[in-house]
Coordinates of all heavy atoms in Angstrom, one line a residue:
A2 N 40.5 5.8 19.9 CA 39.6 5.9 18.8 C 39.6 4.7 17.9 O 38.6 4.2 17.4 CB 40.0 7.2 17.9
S3 N 40.9 4.1 17.8 CA 41.0 2.9 17.0 C 40.3 1.8 17.6 O 39.6 1.0 17.0 CB 42.5 2.6 16.8 OG 42.6 1.4 16.1
S4 N 40.4 1.7 18.9 CA 39.7 0.6 19.7 C 38.2 0.7 19.5 O 37.5 -0.3 19.4 CB 40.1 0.7 21.2 OG 39.4 -0.2 21.9
S5 N 37.7 2.0 19.6 CA 36.2 2.2 19.4 C 35.8 1.8 18.0 O 34.7 1.1 17.9 CB 35.9 3.7 19.6 OG 34.6 3.9 19.4
A6 N 36.6 2.1 17.0 CA 36.2 1.8 15.6 C 36.2 0.2 15.5 O 35.3 -0.3 14.8 CB 37.2 2.4 14.7
D7 N 37.2 -0.4 16.1 CA 37.3 -1.9 16.0 C 36.1 -2.5 16.7 O 35.6 -3.5 16.2 CB 38.6 -2.4 16.7 CG 39.8 -2.0 15.9 OD1 39.7 -1.6 14.7 OD2 40.9 -2.1 16.5
S8 N 35.7 -1.9 17.8 CA 34.5 -2.5 18.5 C 33.3 -2.4 17.7 O 32.4 -3.3 17.6 CB 34.3 -1.7 19.8 OG 35.4 -2.0 20.7
K9 N 33.2 -1.2 17.0 CA 32.0 -1.0 16.1 C 32.0 -2.0 15.0 O 30.9 -2.6 14.6 CB 32.0 0.4 15.6 CG 30.7 0.8 14.8 CD 30.8 2.2 14.4 CE 29.5 2.6 13.6 NZ 29.5 4.0 13.2
T10 N 33.2 -2.2 14.4 CA 33.3 -3.2 13.3 C 32.9 -4.6 13.7 O 32.2 -5.3 13.1 CB 34.7 -3.2 12.7 OG1 35.0 -1.9 12.2 CG2 34.8 -4.2 11.6
L11 N 33.4 -4.9 14.9 CA 33.1 -6.2 15.5 C 31.7 -6.4 15.8 O 31.1 -7.4 15.5 CB 33.9 -6.4 16.8 CG 33.7 -7.8 17.5 CD1 34.1 -8.9 16.6 CD2 34.5 -7.8 18.8
S12 N 31.0 -5.3 16.3 CA 29.6 -5.4 16.6 C 28.8 -5.6 15.3 O 27.9 -6.4 15.3 CB 29.2 -4.1 17.2 OG 27.8 -4.0 17.4
N13 N 29.2 -4.9 14.2 CA 28.5 -5.0 13.0 C 28.7 -6.4 12.4 O 27.8 -7.1 11.9 CB 29.0 -4.0 11.9 CG 28.5 -2.6 12.3 OD1 27.5 -2.4 13.0 ND2 29.2 -1.6 11.7
S14 N 29.9 -6.9 12.5 CA 30.2 -8.3 12.0 C 29.4 -9.3 12.8 O 28.9 -10.2 12.2 CB 31.7 -8.6 12.2 OG 32.0 -9.9 11.8
T15 N 29.3 -9.1 14.1 CA 28.5 -10.1 14.9 C 27.1 -10.1 14.5 O 26.4 -11.1 14.4 CB 28.7 -9.7 16.4 OG1 30.1 -9.8 16.8 CG2 27.9 -10.7 17.2
Q16 N 26.6 -8.9 14.2 CA 25.2 -8.8 13.8 C 24.9 -9.6 12.5 O 23.9 -10.3 12.4 CB 24.8 -7.3 13.6 CG 23.4 -7.1 13.1 CD 23.1 -5.6 12.8 OE1 24.0 -4.8 13.0 NE2 21.9 -5.3 12.4
Y17 N 25.8 -9.4 11.6 CA 25.6 -10.1 10.3 C 25.8 -11.6 10.5 O 25.1 -12.4 9.9 CB 26.6 -9.6 9.3 CG 26.4 -8.2 8.9 CD1 27.5 -7.3 8.6 CD2 25.1 -7.7 8.7 CE1 27.3 -6.0 8.3 CE2 24.9 -6.3 8.4 CZ 26.0 -5.5 8.1 OH 25.8 -4.2 7.8
E18 N 26.7 -12.0 11.3 CA 26.9 -13.5 11.6 C 25.7 -14.1 12.2 O 25.4 -15.3 11.9 CB 28.2 -13.7 12.5 CG 29.5 -13.4 11.8 CD 29.7 -14.2 10.5 OE1 29.2 -15.3 10.5 OE2 30.5 -13.8 9.6
E19 N 25.0 -13.4 13.1 CA 23.8 -13.9 13.7 C 22.7 -14.2 12.6 O 22.0 -15.2 12.7 CB 23.3 -12.9 14.7 CG 24.1 -12.8 16.0 CD 23.6 -11.7 16.9 OE1 22.7 -11.0 16.5 OE2 24.2 -11.6 18.0
V20 N 22.7 -13.3 11.6 CA 21.7 -13.6 10.5 C 22.1 -14.8 9.8 O 21.3 -15.7 9.5 CB 21.7 -12.4 9.6 CG1 20.8 -12.7 8.4 CG2 21.2 -11.1 10.3
D21 N 23.4 -14.9 9.5 CA 23.9 -16.1 8.8 C 23.8 -17.4 9.5 O 23.5 -18.4 9.0 CB 25.4 -15.9 8.4 CG 26.0 -16.9 7.5 OD1 25.3 -17.3 6.5 OD2 27.1 -17.4 7.8
G22 N 23.9 -17.3 10.9 CA 23.8 -18.5 11.7 C 22.4 -19.1 11.8 O 22.2 -20.2 12.2
N23 N 21.5 -18.3 11.4 CA 20.1 -18.7 11.4 C 19.8 -19.4 10.0 O 20.1 -18.8 9.0 CB 19.2 -17.5 11.6 CG 17.7 -17.8 11.9 OD1 17.3 -18.9 11.5 ND2 17.1 -17.0 12.6
D24 N 19.1 -20.5 10.0 CA 18.8 -21.2 8.8 C 17.6 -20.5 8.1 O 17.0 -21.1 7.1 CB 18.5 -22.7 9.1 CG 19.8 -23.4 9.2 OD1 20.8 -23.0 8.8 OD2 19.7 -24.5 9.9
E25 N 17.1 -19.4 8.6 CA 15.9 -18.7 8.0 C 16.2 -18.4 6.5 O 17.3 -18.0 6.1 CB 15.6 -17.5 8.8 CG 14.5 -16.7 8.3 CD 14.3 -15.4 9.1 OE1 15.2 -15.0 9.7 OE2 13.1 -14.9 9.0

Side-chain angles (χ1 to χ4, degrees):
S3 176
S4 176
S5 176
D7 290 344
S8 296
K9 185 175 181 180
T10 300
L11 179 60
S12 175
N13 288 340
S14 176
T15 301
Q16 178 183 358
Y17 295 141
E18 289 299 335
E19 287 174 355
V20 176
D21 187 45
N23 191 333
D24 282 338
E25 180 182 20

